[in-house]
Amino acid sequence: MDIYNGWLIVNSYYNPAKFNSLYKLLQESAEKAGLRFSKWTSDQRPTVIGSAARDPKPSFVLFWDKDIQLAKTMELSGLKLFNSAESIALADDKIETLLKLAEKGVPIPDTIPAPTCFPNCKRNPASAEQAAKILGWPLVIKENVGSFGQQVYLANNVKEAERILTHIGEHDCHFQRFIADSAGRDLRVTVVGGKVVCAMERRSQSKQQFRSNMELGGVGSARNITPYEEKIAVEAAEALGLDFAGVDILMGKEENERYVCEVNSNPQLQSTIDTCGINPATNIMWHIRSQIKSAE
Ligand SMILES: Nc1ncnc2c1ncn2[C@@H]1O[C@H](COP(=O)(O)OP(=O)(O)O)[C@@H](O)[C@H]1O
Ligand SMILES: [Mg+2]
């Protein structure tokens, strides 16, 4: 088997200890598919905008960061990124994601972007009140950029919305219809190369907690998904151009009431392995290999 050499790019500043086992997992999975990579933090491969990448060029870059400017600079210099800069940019901003999904006909929860708030301006809770006239209470309020459920809030009334909006301040955010039947549970579908690898249902363990993120105490269980869930998960990853993705789906009562609420460009791997007994990193590496080979 030919061996391809690449880079793993990770963030310079966000580097929790748990990432060491992630890198090991990626490395071991890569080896199985005949890929090797060296790991670099985002400051270690400085690239001049508009200049060609210096030799020896890697055959691929596994871009495990959200640094969109760096990703774009690397692509312009001739490097092949997984995921691509454009797809990471679309996935990283929830409104950009939802706009693209809506454009492609993928079902999403009803969502209203909140007005832009410049630095030193104060958010007006009237915007939440207006949105709630359409979306109802309780109202989900989310920062456009966020992870682990940390920037996702629920307001029961305008007073609570005001507190949340004051906390959010100038960060971009949006209002979303609360999918009550999905309170405390969602579906995480891992998609690689246009195919579903596995899926799990995540449930929060507390009635008070409507977010099912595992980082907030949610517990996953492996789940067979319906053809419709599979279809929208694959369509969501494809709409954003992601080679690999973790698609979060909210569930209404009926089988056809499914809404993609966000798509992750760096899907969690360990919790998926622990829950589903499948290692999506292997699929990711074989997918990268097939993409490199078909570009030869
Ligand atoms: N509109 C909604 N209705 C009901 N629950 C929601 C809604 N949006 C998000 N949630 C819950 O909050 C969790 C976190 O939201 P999500 O958009 O996936 O943000 P994050 O990027 O922080 O994971 C979801 O997994 C789901 O459990
Ligand atoms: Mg999520």
Side-chain angles (χ1 to χ4, degrees):
M1 185 157 65
D2 300 335
I3 303 289
Y4 294 100
N5 290 301
W7 293 344
L8 170 67
I9 298 290
V10 301
N11 188 266
S12 292
Y13 307 119
Y14 183 68
N15 211 348
K18 66 174 180 185
F19 275 16
N20 287 331
S21 50
L22 169 70
Y23 304 147
K24 192 162 167 273
L25 176 73
L26 291 172
Q27 202 104 42
E28 286 169 2
S29 308
E31 268 166 34
K32 290 195 183 114
L35 306 180
R36 275 199 207 118
F37 55 72
S38 45
K39 176 172 114 15
W40 304 99
T41 53
S42 42
D43 56 344
Q44 287 176 322
R45 294 278 104 187
T47 310
V48 177
I49 294 176
S51 294
R54 275 181 255 163
D55 280 333
K57 266 189 1 187
S59 301
F60 68 95
V61 178
L62 181 54
F63 201 84
W64 216 267
D65 194 3
K66 305 219 171 161
D67 190 330
I68 292 150
Q69 281 78 28
L70 175 63
K72 287 186 172 169
T73 304
M74 285 185 157
E75 283 182 348
L76 191 61
S77 78
L79 300 181
K80 174 70 180 158
L81 265 58
F82 298 91
N83 281 305
S84 71
E86 176 65 12
S87 67
I88 295 171
L90 287 171
D92 197 37
D93 183 310
K94 291 184 168 76
I95 281 290
E96 295 298 332
T97 302
L98 295 172
L99 285 167
K100 184 54 84 179
L101 296 183
E103 182 192 322
K104 300 286 180 183
V106 180
I108 59 167
D110 290 341
T111 302
I112 298 176
T116 293
C117 180
F118 295 121
N120 303 322
C121 293
K122 192 177 174 327
R123 284 194 178 274
N124 186 344
S127 61
E129 214 165 11
Q130 290 294 334
K133 281 187 187 149
I134 300 168
L135 305 175
W137 298 104
L139 184 65
V140 173
I141 305 178
K142 284 188 205 181
E143 296 182 38
N144 292 4
V145 178
S147 321
F148 312 136
Q150 278 167 4
Q151 288 78 18
V152 176
Y153 315 89
L154 192 62
N156 287 296
N157 49 51
V158 71
K159 267 249 135 320
E160 289 183 14
E162 179 167 20
R163 200 170 32 76
I164 293 164
L165 289 173
T166 303
H167 168 77
I168 291 175
E170 67 198 56
H171 296 282
D172 287 333
C173 65
H174 55 279
F175 306 113
Q176 193 166 79
R177 186 185 299 283
F178 179 56
I179 308 296
D181 289 309
S182 207
R185 66 187 190 121
D186 77 346
L187 195 60
R188 161 56 68 91
V189 185
T190 304
V191 178
V192 179
K195 292 198 180 74
V196 169
V197 175
C198 56
M200 59 179 164
E201 187 165 326
R202 301 180 297 190
R203 279 179 183 269
S204 103
Q205 299 299 291
S206 144
K207 277 228 164 340
Q208 274 64 263
Q209 180 56 272
F210 78 102
R211 297 162 297 179
S212 54
N213 301 70
M214 288 171 147
E215 294 80 3
L216 298 174
V219 172
S221 52
R223 151 113 135 62
N224 290 325
I225 56 173
T226 66
Y228 181 59
E229 290 163 346
E230 179 166 351
K231 175 177 177 292
I232 65 174
V234 167
E235 283 176 358
E238 190 186 29
L240 305 182
L242 289 160
D243 291 284
F244 49 90
V247 183
D248 288 353
I249 298 179
L250 302 172
M251 296 171 283
K253 228 184 227 84
E254 306 301 326
E255 232 179 63
N256 63 351
E257 290 176 272
R258 296 291 182 268
Y259 312 95
V260 175
C261 86
E262 69 140 349
V263 184
N264 298 275
S265 58
N266 294 350
Q268 293 163 353
L269 297 176
Q270 196 54 53
S271 56
T272 302
I273 295 171
D274 295 343
T275 307
C276 302
I278 290 173
N279 173 13
T282 315
N283 303 64
I284 292 173
M285 301 308 167
W286 281 108
H287 171 72
I288 292 176
R289 185 182 178 85
S290 77
Q291 294 297 106
I292 298 171
K293 282 202 92 73
S294 59
E296 274 176 351

